Amino acid sequence: MLLERIVSEGLAHYSYLVGDRNLALVIDPRRDVDDYIKMAAASGMRIAHILETHRNEDYFIGSMELATRTGAEVWHADRQWDYQYGHAVADGQRWKVGRLEIEAISTPGHTPGSMSYLLRDPAGIAWMLFCGDALFAGEVGRIDLLGADQAAENAGLLYESIFSRILPLGDEVILCPAHGSGSVCGEAIAERLWTSVGIEKKHNPRLQAKSKEQFVASLQTSHPGRPPYFRRMEKVNLEGRPLLGAQPSPLPLDARSFWQLSLSQNAQILDTRQELAFSAAHVPGSQSIWLDGLASFAGWFLGYDRPILLVGEGNQADRVAAILLRLGFDNISGFLAGGMLSWHMSGQQSQSIRTQIVQDLCRQIDGGEPVWILDVRFAGELDKDGRIEGAQHIPITAISERMDEVPQDRDVAIFCGSGMRSMVAASYLRARGWKRLSVVLGGMAGWRSIKCPLR
Amino acid sequence: MLLERIVSEGLAHYSYLVGDRNLALVIDPRRDVDDYIKMAAASGMRIAHILETHRNEDYFIGSMELATRTGAEVWHADRQWDYQYGHAVADGQRWKVGRLEIEAISTPGHTPGSMSYLLRDPAGIAWMLFCGDALFAGEVGRIDLLGADQAAENAGLLYESIFSRILPLGDEVILCPAHGSGSVCGEAIAERLWTSVGIEKKHNPRLQAKSKEQFVASLQTSHPGRPPYFRRMEKVNLEGRPLLGAQPSPLPLDARSFWQLSLSQNAQILDTRQELAFSAAHVPGSQSIWLDGLASFAGWFLGYDRPILLVGEGNQADRVAAILLRLGFDNISGFLAGGMLSWHMSGQQSQSIRTQIVQDLCRQIDGGEPVWILDVRFAGELDKDGRIEGAQHIPITAISERMDEVPQDRDVAIFCGSGMRSMVAASYLRARGWKRLSVVLGGMAGWRSIKCPLR
Amino acid sequence: MLLERIVSEGLAHYSYLVGDRNLALVIDPRRDVDDYIKMAAASGMRIAHILETHRNEDYFIGSMELATRTGAEVWHADRQWDYQYGHAVADGQRWKVGRLEIEAISTPGHTPGSMSYLLRDPAGIAWMLFCGDALFAGEVGRIDLLGADQAAENAGLLYESIFSRILPLGDEVILCPAHGSGSVCGEAIAERLWTSVGIEKKHNPRLQAKSKEQFVASLQTSHPGRPPYFRRMEKVNLEGRPLLGAQPSPLPLDARSFWQLSLSQNAQILDTRQELAFSAAHVPGSQSIWLDGLASFAGWFLGYDRPILLVGEGNQADRVAAILLRLGFDNISGFLAGGMLSWHMSGQQSQSIRTQIVQDLCRQIDGGEPVWILDVRFAGELDKDGRIEGAQHIPITAISERMDEVPQDRDVAIFCGSGMRSMVAASYLRARGWKRLSVVLGGMAGWRSIKCPLR
Amino acid sequence: MLLERIVSEGLAHYSYLVGDRNLALVIDPRRDVDDYIKMAAASGMRIAHILETHRNEDYFIGSMELATRTGAEVWHADRQWDYQYGHAVADGQRWKVGRLEIEAISTPGHTPGSMSYLLRDPAGIAWMLFCGDALFAGEVGRIDLLGADQAAENAGLLYESIFSRILPLGDEVILCPAHGSGSVCGEAIAERLWTSVGIEKKHNPRLQAKSKEQFVASLQTSHPGRPPYFRRMEKVNLEGRPLLGAQPSPLPLDARSFWQLSLSQNAQILDTRQELAFSAAHVPGSQSIWLDGLASFAGWFLGYDRPILLVGEGNQADRVAAILLRLGFDNISGFLAGGMLSWHMSGQQSQSIRTQIVQDLCRQIDGGEPVWILDVRFAGELDKDGRIEGAQHIPITAISERMDEVPQDRDVAIFCGSGMRSMVAASYLRARGWKRLSVVLGGMAGWRSIKCPLR
């Protein structure tokens, strides 16, 4: 028997491979499907079915890719939309994999046609529920993705799905959601790596609502935002798309070719190094997104219409490409071979962005210096972790829309939880002309550690 | 946060690595501890505590090894015994690892001082219970290991532990036992890889007992037996033992050196190839235990007093040595380099054991041939999967004691579930003079597939 | 700088990856090209050129595959043939890779248009010669592959290439041929893993010829034969072929599906287990070729016109598929999941082939038993390692043509160097009706070890 | 047959594993010996002999470690010194490994008792020479390591060894030296990864000397210096030392523990990140040595008397520890878990070092700014790659002795080939009070690329 959770870091996306005897199925596969194929083959299993819990918006689903390479059948939830491949799932539909049985349970809300899948063990015991984006550890799925006008309706559907379909399955059933902590698909997913229906019933803050109305109302608060790339993911996930086969390796480029290509292709330059190295020197105009944050922020800061050139540390180009691939960014022109060292050795010019430690910022504030502080954290973090007196708040995901609020003629200290997102924002502004920027290292965590005054 | 189950195949032993922030703890480590150290380091965690659920009898615990290499503290359950290292755990004792907290809960029964450990998540939610050998998926721990005279008393303790301490924790708590299906520490552990308190409460056959008396009585049935090596494991697990450091690689030996060493050291020859290859040719006197069955059967068929020489396929000597190490068999003199091919190319003589397909056996029986059938399955399998008319039953683990019941002057067809254990038994008998043996390929599974008559 | 030899085991084929700074080239790539791409990328190099030393006949060249995935240019030797892709190389043509330079040197003989490539180091020193199939350690290339009628002419060309082009480069130049010991492309390639012009000049037996005539004459002796698949390789290597992308994983099949498919597709069953396991039990009709012998013998015993089904040990299906792929066998329908164990547990019938140790055969011969001995070694081995009195000699590669010489009504003992090829031959005959076969374990090596009488 | 070169990056040290049939030997093993053991076992070989070419000074030899774990015998060259374990080699001594034979050839010069080892193939052909530090690609061994007074005598010995013992073996013999390009054991080792006696005879600049006198004189030039740790390596390599067993994993430490430990243990802080990240922020007082330069510079900038604390990127602590281990630095107290990010998030203070691009430096010079340029390249590089007008030259390895020459009251621009060594020097000075430092990114390579004026 096989029961594997495959984690896509960054997206905090969980897909699952379930198998018994010679058969297996995959739930919500990601686009780079080698792992599923290898794991199943290593256990002597054939992947026969691919089940989707909903039309995904945050990543490029691998259903067609996996189906083409294994002969498996694709089963879509959200039958209301017009899929160009695969079959639609019906509530109550069942599949066998070896001695296991899995049953579709309609759980709309996150999307209007979301499905969950209940796994029964060889003795017929209701064992695990693959609940997609309906219910997470400590959170429920977002209901705002189809637009504000449908949010209330979806919230109501979600209430019914959770309270009338999922909770009655029994406290003992183990829950396998599609995301863990860190995903943009839930506002505050808890870090419990495994959870159960009963744990959520007792402890999930959303499920403590006293009524449907209260539940619906509680979901009307702010959300992390909807990255622009979601629109594209929704579309390609309906269409299916040309197949990958072997994952392409980005082409190494020397410094001169890199720069020429960046001009001739009007390419986007993505730098995935840590924030410190980026601050010291980077290719002019490049966008900083540190590797572990790439899945979360690529969709906000990269576009699909221009080729991408990569700058990174060591040999991370393949990993970067794999992450971008999951988000549908296939158009990678190459990477800077030898990194910034070879850039400088070729006599190319670079830029830097100033950093400062929190002690410096404290001193500036205490000394009454007129520093303009830009806080790019999410709204929820302000309440939870505290605010800095006088700081201006523009969430990282709103920078592109609201950058005009940031002055160009004053010193701007950018501030987030740790310094990583600050550099993302700083590089975005720097490439658009802002020059008097500094990134506060350690961010709010550092700030609190030294007990600077918090509002 | 880190929550890893480390599976020792064969033993079906589960140990766990739990960590948060910079700290980690390990529950019931196996003897080859590299994996724990590497996983923790990769997450930037220091292993600070080692918790044992009970004095183990089925494997050589790695507590001292891991403690020596990491500086962690060892915490023993079963404080009634005289440990020569580490500290004793008290009921209710607590440890912090980052934002997680874990609490000892006394759950005697399997051993008189067994402990379980309840893990609370950062929000203080009772999340997971590491319940050692108290409770498994579909089974409870064995209570017979300290002797038949204490079995009833232990069964009573176990009843209280499960019904008064574990079940009240709540249906939603996820259970992390020390063994999965295939272990000798529980008679009929189910294949549910993850389970919960509620699933066991509702579906574990042992827990459906109507009273303590009924529960105790239900445990008085036959058990898989107590392998002779348990005695040694109990002892070394109290003592702690000289440290491994790097795991030794068995020495390659050419055919001549192999044979000379087997004579001069009076060594045991262990052949871990699949049963078919063994049947065709093997070193005279060698004991067959196929690789995947090694952890289960080494303790029955190997002794600690004589060196071990290995015969295997390809480069499996390191894997074999790792498994033997977990059982305390450190005295490996080497392996046959080049395997049986080089044996024959050196002109060494080999032996074979006859195999037959089930159709042959059917024909013999139908034809009234006086074949003596030896069924080496466990008692429970006979009821579950059926018996063969006229077959003699000696469980594989009783062969050494009862071999005199097997005739030497008749054709003996040996029979198990698939043919693997039959070859273990056949090689044991062959090395002790039995010559008219054959192994039935496919065993009871094959027999049933072709619908031979079952009693 | 990068200089890697990539070995395709079995074929004993050597390809080379040479790089400096940001550029690399590959000489004679095999069809599964992932390794080249990964190694080059790990060194920050782009593969810019693919050089072929000749139109290969013993494997499916990966030039087009690699070119498509990297954008490299393909350069063919043997410009007299009609390639449907890539460019033709001219004698004296040069390429730069970083500070290295490589120059084409016309060295016909093995094929009429064979090229070697001389590598100069950054200081311009003649460093290494990639000499394809012109010259090997202890051997020269075969000149018989285009037909007996052209052999003498080719031998003359080869003499000139070696004596007038290669040897004058200097004793100190390191030689990098396209094959090592074990290849069918040279009769008796020595085991020297690295060699030099001077070593070959002094010690290569072929190069000790006193005249061109003597050299040509020395090459007119028997050859290992020309596997039927060579014809196909020559064709596809001119054509280029549909692309692989990701290497396909063979599909796992349960015993029943396997058998049904073998019937419905009229498939070839290939069993890659070691000879002992095969002897004990195998699927009726299956062809034995042990894994390490697969590259050498697949072209003799498998056809391109029928699908292939695999039986193996553990999870070797992927490795088997990779080897078959290099030979152009793409049509793999699946593998027997669970191997022979699951076959027997499903109640399927199997066959066996008798084995015997050399001592038995000795005894039979000494006892005057009328045993018909079939020796399947190559002609050269008979002279080198000795003959067995009364044995009939049919080389393994001639079995299919000459099987009628083998009696069906007598006991036939099959004999080779070790027992591996004997089983290949035995399985071939067994599938075609021969029943009284036995394979002599240890073969001539075992025979000599025990000092049985040799002719 | 097995012939593997094991490269220790950084040290550019080559050790060799040679095997045939069931036996193997290792030449000049490094201290972390797992690779030898695994490779040999994978080929079914037992390591029977360990041959040293000389008492090594640049790394901690693994002879005793490997001998203890495998039972192999250790053979020392340099018998004039007093080894506390193993045997001394005699000129002409021979060992068999399978069908191979290897013979000791006395080649003094680099040390007074250096040995080379000539490998003959199964046919008895002189095939390869393992020539230790006597002869490299494009260079000969250093003769200054025992002191200036013995240099001339050693140079004379080396001349005889090369001209009377090595060159007469024949141009065709392949050379396997103990070091490649980048080692401190030869001034200008060429990048030819493989070479031969003939290539060196024709092209090695040292071997073009017209007489012994000229050869000796040519070696009297400056050398890269003698790192202080050589003295210790010489000593431990005579003694043998306590055994490693499993390689220890450095302990993860949180920021506070790290800082406390650095104070309480008076530890050395080693930062192995790339120069850019280091420049932006580092723990006060830490020494920068980038990972790939660690083997070369650790012996110059770290001491054996104080514990070491590590700062690095990602999970490189294990790799850093492995490199330090080879140099005998066993006393590693731990590493900063979470790296500089966690440092700043804990509110710890950091320092930075200014960087500038070469264009900036040009502008300063052109503008007549009084910048004090410190060039830390080796003497040989100045001649080869050019000098900067007005720069002061202190080789990186002399910084600790000559730091007083660097002014503290002026802006100092530090300059090397690329910027890496500059940061090593800058961090050394910064930790000792210099504040007005900047590192020139791209170094001389960048400088030349933009055609700044060169002297």
Side-chain angles (χ1 to χ4, degrees), chain D residues 153-180:
Chain D
E153 182 186 341
N154 286 339
L157 285 171
L158 186 58
Y159 180 86
E160 296 299 336
S161 293
I162 293 173
F163 285 85
S164 304
R165 305 287 320 250
I166 295 178
L167 298 191
L169 294 171
D171 285 1
E172 72 277 13
V173 172
I174 294 171
L175 278 179
C176 296
H179 286 288

mmCIF file of all heavy atoms in Angstrom, chain D residues 153-180:
data_model
loop_
_atom_site.group_PDB
_atom_site.id
_atom_site.type_symbol
_atom_site.label_atom_id
_atom_site.label_comp_id
_atom_site.label_asym_id
_atom_site.label_seq_id
_atom_site.Cartn_x
_atom_site.Cartn_y
_atom_site.Cartn_z
ATOM 1 N N GLU D 153 69.496 21.302 -2.581
ATOM 2 C CA GLU D 153 69.773 19.859 -2.566
ATOM 3 C C GLU D 153 68.566 19.073 -3.075
ATOM 4 O O GLU D 153 68.684 18.162 -3.891
ATOM 5 C CB GLU D 153 70.131 19.432 -1.138
ATOM 6 C CG GLU D 153 70.489 17.957 -1.042
ATOM 7 C CD GLU D 153 70.691 17.532 0.417
ATOM 8 O OE1 GLU D 153 70.900 18.422 1.268
ATOM 9 O OE2 GLU D 153 70.604 16.318 0.689
ATOM 10 N N ASN D 154 67.396 19.455 -2.583
ATOM 11 C CA ASN D 154 66.195 18.761 -3.015
ATOM 12 C C ASN D 154 65.938 18.952 -4.501
ATOM 13 O O ASN D 154 65.491 18.029 -5.191
ATOM 14 C CB ASN D 154 64.980 19.270 -2.216
ATOM 15 C CG ASN D 154 65.001 18.744 -0.795
ATOM 16 O OD1 ASN D 154 65.656 17.730 -0.504
ATOM 17 N ND2 ASN D 154 64.298 19.420 0.096
ATOM 18 N N ALA D 155 66.216 20.140 -4.988
ATOM 19 C CA ALA D 155 66.021 20.396 -6.415
ATOM 20 C C ALA D 155 66.919 19.475 -7.238
ATOM 21 O O ALA D 155 66.505 18.939 -8.271
ATOM 22 C CB ALA D 155 66.309 21.862 -6.730
ATOM 23 N N GLY D 156 68.135 19.266 -6.757
ATOM 24 C CA GLY D 156 69.039 18.356 -7.441
ATOM 25 C C GLY D 156 68.510 16.928 -7.433
ATOM 26 O O GLY D 156 68.529 16.225 -8.444
ATOM 27 N N LEU D 157 68.023 16.513 -6.285
ATOM 28 C CA LEU D 157 67.428 15.175 -6.198
ATOM 29 C C LEU D 157 66.260 15.038 -7.161
ATOM 30 O O LEU D 157 66.098 14.025 -7.848
ATOM 31 C CB LEU D 157 66.935 14.918 -4.771
ATOM 32 C CG LEU D 157 67.983 14.620 -3.706
ATOM 33 C CD1 LEU D 157 67.357 14.621 -2.315
ATOM 34 C CD2 LEU D 157 68.646 13.266 -3.984
ATOM 35 N N LEU D 158 65.452 16.074 -7.217
ATOM 36 C CA LEU D 158 64.263 16.018 -8.066
ATOM 37 C C LEU D 158 64.656 15.911 -9.534
ATOM 38 O O LEU D 158 64.043 15.179 -10.307
ATOM 39 C CB LEU D 158 63.399 17.275 -7.822
ATOM 40 C CG LEU D 158 62.040 17.295 -8.538
ATOM 41 C CD1 LEU D 158 61.186 16.095 -8.135
ATOM 42 C CD2 LEU D 158 61.296 18.585 -8.227
ATOM 43 N N TYR D 159 65.701 16.644 -9.901
ATOM 44 C CA TYR D 159 66.189 16.555 -11.274
ATOM 45 C C TYR D 159 66.534 15.114 -11.635
ATOM 46 O O TYR D 159 66.096 14.599 -12.665
ATOM 47 C CB TYR D 159 67.403 17.455 -11.452
ATOM 48 C CG TYR D 159 67.984 17.423 -12.841
ATOM 49 C CD1 TYR D 159 67.490 18.258 -13.837
ATOM 50 C CD2 TYR D 159 69.013 16.535 -13.161
ATOM 51 C CE1 TYR D 159 68.016 18.215 -15.125
ATOM 52 C CE2 TYR D 159 69.530 16.476 -14.444
ATOM 53 C CZ TYR D 159 69.035 17.326 -15.425
ATOM 54 O OH TYR D 159 69.539 17.279 -16.702
ATOM 55 N N GLU D 160 67.278 14.498 -10.760
ATOM 56 C CA GLU D 160 67.668 13.105 -11.034
ATOM 57 C C GLU D 160 66.443 12.195 -11.102
ATOM 58 O O GLU D 160 66.344 11.318 -11.950
ATOM 59 C CB GLU D 160 68.641 12.599 -9.955
ATOM 60 C CG GLU D 160 69.972 13.336 -9.909
ATOM 61 C CD GLU D 160 70.760 13.212 -11.213
ATOM 62 O OE1 GLU D 160 70.550 12.237 -11.975
ATOM 63 O OE2 GLU D 160 71.580 14.117 -11.475
ATOM 64 N N SER D 161 65.514 12.398 -10.188
ATOM 65 C CA SER D 161 64.313 11.554 -10.165
ATOM 66 C C SER D 161 63.555 11.663 -11.477
ATOM 67 O O SER D 161 63.131 10.660 -12.062
ATOM 68 C CB SER D 161 63.396 11.968 -9.005
ATOM 69 O OG SER D 161 64.016 11.673 -7.765
ATOM 70 N N ILE D 162 63.396 12.889 -11.932
ATOM 71 C CA ILE D 162 62.606 13.083 -13.150
ATOM 72 C C ILE D 162 63.367 12.608 -14.374
ATOM 73 O O ILE D 162 62.859 11.833 -15.179
ATOM 74 C CB ILE D 162 62.204 14.568 -13.302
ATOM 75 C CG1 ILE D 162 61.226 14.958 -12.183
ATOM 76 C CG2 ILE D 162 61.580 14.814 -14.672
ATOM 77 C CD1 ILE D 162 60.880 16.429 -12.127
ATOM 78 N N PHE D 163 64.619 13.043 -14.482
ATOM 79 C CA PHE D 163 65.353 12.761 -15.723
ATOM 80 C C PHE D 163 65.916 11.343 -15.789
ATOM 81 O O PHE D 163 66.043 10.789 -16.869
ATOM 82 C CB PHE D 163 66.440 13.817 -15.954
ATOM 83 C CG PHE D 163 65.881 15.133 -16.436
ATOM 84 C CD1 PHE D 163 65.412 16.079 -15.536
ATOM 85 C CD2 PHE D 163 65.758 15.389 -17.801
ATOM 86 C CE1 PHE D 163 64.882 17.275 -15.981
ATOM 87 C CE2 PHE D 163 65.213 16.583 -18.254
ATOM 88 C CZ PHE D 163 64.765 17.542 -17.346
ATOM 89 N N SER D 164 66.222 10.778 -14.616
ATOM 90 C CA SER D 164 66.834 9.441 -14.648
ATOM 91 C C SER D 164 65.840 8.320 -14.343
ATOM 92 O O SER D 164 66.098 7.163 -14.643
ATOM 93 C CB SER D 164 67.986 9.362 -13.643
ATOM 94 O OG SER D 164 68.922 10.372 -13.900
ATOM 95 N N ARG D 165 64.744 8.659 -13.666
ATOM 96 C CA ARG D 165 63.820 7.584 -13.309
ATOM 97 C C ARG D 165 62.495 7.675 -14.052
ATOM 98 O O ARG D 165 61.976 6.661 -14.517
ATOM 99 C CB ARG D 165 63.527 7.588 -11.792
ATOM 100 C CG ARG D 165 64.716 7.531 -10.864
ATOM 101 C CD ARG D 165 65.428 6.162 -10.794
ATOM 102 N NE ARG D 165 64.664 4.970 -10.781
ATOM 103 C CZ ARG D 165 64.512 4.138 -9.731
ATOM 104 N NH1 ARG D 165 65.047 4.430 -8.574
ATOM 105 N NH2 ARG D 165 63.839 3.011 -9.864
ATOM 106 N N ILE D 166 61.930 8.879 -14.142
ATOM 107 C CA ILE D 166 60.582 8.969 -14.710
ATOM 108 C C ILE D 166 60.597 9.047 -16.234
ATOM 109 O O ILE D 166 59.938 8.250 -16.909
ATOM 110 C CB ILE D 166 59.834 10.189 -14.106
ATOM 111 C CG1 ILE D 166 59.623 9.954 -12.601
ATOM 112 C CG2 ILE D 166 58.504 10.395 -14.810
ATOM 113 C CD1 ILE D 166 58.937 11.095 -11.873
ATOM 114 N N LEU D 167 61.360 9.966 -16.798
ATOM 115 C CA LEU D 167 61.326 10.117 -18.254
ATOM 116 C C LEU D 167 61.730 8.839 -18.988
ATOM 117 O O LEU D 167 61.131 8.511 -20.018
ATOM 118 C CB LEU D 167 62.193 11.307 -18.701
ATOM 119 C CG LEU D 167 61.751 12.672 -18.172
ATOM 120 C CD1 LEU D 167 62.498 13.800 -18.894
ATOM 121 C CD2 LEU D 167 60.251 12.885 -18.304
ATOM 122 N N PRO D 168 62.705 8.083 -18.482
ATOM 123 C CA PRO D 168 63.083 6.855 -19.194
ATOM 124 C C PRO D 168 61.975 5.796 -19.244
ATOM 125 O O PRO D 168 62.104 4.813 -19.976
ATOM 126 C CB PRO D 168 64.295 6.339 -18.397
ATOM 127 C CG PRO D 168 64.848 7.547 -17.719
ATOM 128 C CD PRO D 168 63.656 8.400 -17.399
ATOM 129 N N LEU D 169 60.924 5.962 -18.468
ATOM 130 C CA LEU D 169 59.852 4.957 -18.513
ATOM 131 C C LEU D 169 59.158 4.936 -19.863
ATOM 132 O O LEU D 169 58.503 3.953 -20.215
ATOM 133 C CB LEU D 169 58.821 5.240 -17.411
ATOM 134 C CG LEU D 169 59.331 5.067 -15.977
ATOM 135 C CD1 LEU D 169 58.282 5.587 -14.988
ATOM 136 C CD2 LEU D 169 59.675 3.612 -15.682
ATOM 137 N N GLY D 170 59.286 6.010 -20.609
ATOM 138 C CA GLY D 170 58.677 6.035 -21.946
ATOM 139 C C GLY D 170 57.638 7.114 -22.081
ATOM 140 O O GLY D 170 56.827 7.328 -21.184
ATOM 141 N N ASP D 171 57.642 7.770 -23.229
ATOM 142 C CA ASP D 171 56.705 8.871 -23.482
ATOM 143 C C ASP D 171 55.247 8.451 -23.315
ATOM 144 O O ASP D 171 54.376 9.266 -23.030
ATOM 145 C CB ASP D 171 56.871 9.373 -24.925
ATOM 146 C CG ASP D 171 58.132 10.194 -25.097
ATOM 147 O OD1 ASP D 171 58.887 10.352 -24.113
ATOM 148 O OD2 ASP D 171 58.359 10.670 -26.218
ATOM 149 N N GLU D 172 54.984 7.182 -23.542
ATOM 150 C CA GLU D 172 53.599 6.721 -23.624
ATOM 151 C C GLU D 172 52.956 6.485 -22.261
ATOM 152 O O GLU D 172 51.746 6.297 -22.181
ATOM 153 C CB GLU D 172 53.543 5.427 -24.443
ATOM 154 C CG GLU D 172 54.122 4.198 -23.739
ATOM 155 C CD GLU D 172 55.631 4.067 -23.854
ATOM 156 O OE1 GLU D 172 56.281 5.052 -24.278
ATOM 157 O OE2 GLU D 172 56.159 3.002 -23.521
ATOM 158 N N VAL D 173 53.777 6.490 -21.211
ATOM 159 C CA VAL D 173 53.211 6.187 -19.897
ATOM 160 C C VAL D 173 52.326 7.344 -19.408
ATOM 161 O O VAL D 173 52.714 8.509 -19.488
ATOM 162 C CB VAL D 173 54.334 5.904 -18.877
ATOM 163 C CG1 VAL D 173 53.765 5.771 -17.461
ATOM 164 C CG2 VAL D 173 55.095 4.644 -19.283
ATOM 165 N N ILE D 174 51.162 7.006 -18.921
ATOM 166 C CA ILE D 174 50.211 8.012 -18.452
ATOM 167 C C ILE D 174 50.573 8.409 -17.026
ATOM 168 O O ILE D 174 50.877 7.555 -16.191
ATOM 169 C CB ILE D 174 48.777 7.458 -18.555
ATOM 170 C CG1 ILE D 174 48.433 7.242 -20.044
ATOM 171 C CG2 ILE D 174 47.773 8.388 -17.888
ATOM 172 C CD1 ILE D 174 47.148 6.510 -20.290
ATOM 173 N N LEU D 175 50.561 9.709 -16.772
ATOM 174 C CA LEU D 175 50.988 10.218 -15.464
ATOM 175 C C LEU D 175 49.777 10.517 -14.573
ATOM 176 O O LEU D 175 48.818 11.149 -15.017
ATOM 177 C CB LEU D 175 51.792 11.508 -15.638
ATOM 178 C CG LEU D 175 53.260 11.372 -15.999
ATOM 179 C CD1 LEU D 175 53.882 12.757 -16.162
ATOM 180 C CD2 LEU D 175 54.023 10.571 -14.934
ATOM 181 N N CYS D 176 49.850 10.104 -13.357
ATOM 182 C CA CYS D 176 48.799 10.363 -12.378
ATOM 183 C C CYS D 176 49.415 11.061 -11.166
ATOM 184 O O CYS D 176 49.795 10.410 -10.188
ATOM 185 C CB CYS D 176 48.152 9.056 -11.950
ATOM 186 S SG CYS D 176 47.309 8.214 -13.288
ATOM 187 N N PRO D 177 49.509 12.363 -11.196
ATOM 188 C CA PRO D 177 50.127 13.083 -10.087
ATOM 189 C C PRO D 177 49.154 13.228 -8.914
ATOM 190 O O PRO D 177 47.976 12.879 -9.024
ATOM 191 C CB PRO D 177 50.459 14.436 -10.689
ATOM 192 C CG PRO D 177 49.504 14.616 -11.815
ATOM 193 C CD PRO D 177 49.073 13.252 -12.262
ATOM 194 N N ALA D 178 49.635 13.756 -7.819
ATOM 195 C CA ALA D 178 48.811 13.890 -6.614
ATOM 196 C C ALA D 178 48.055 15.206 -6.557
ATOM 197 O O ALA D 178 47.278 15.430 -5.633
ATOM 198 C CB ALA D 178 49.690 13.736 -5.368
ATOM 199 N N HIS D 179 48.308 16.075 -7.536
ATOM 200 C CA HIS D 179 47.613 17.359 -7.509
ATOM 201 C C HIS D 179 47.304 17.829 -8.916
ATOM 202 O O HIS D 179 48.029 17.512 -9.862
ATOM 203 C CB HIS D 179 48.460 18.445 -6.817
ATOM 204 C CG HIS D 179 48.514 18.302 -5.334
ATOM 205 N ND1 HIS D 179 47.450 18.568 -4.523
ATOM 206 C CD2 HIS D 179 49.510 17.889 -4.514
ATOM 207 C CE1 HIS D 179 47.792 18.351 -3.260
ATOM 208 N NE2 HIS D 179 49.039 17.923 -3.224
ATOM 209 N N GLY D 180 46.251 18.606 -9.012
ATOM 210 C CA GLY D 180 45.906 19.282 -10.254
ATOM 211 C C GLY D 180 46.025 20.774 -10.071
ATOM 212 O O GLY D 180 46.456 21.269 -9.021
#
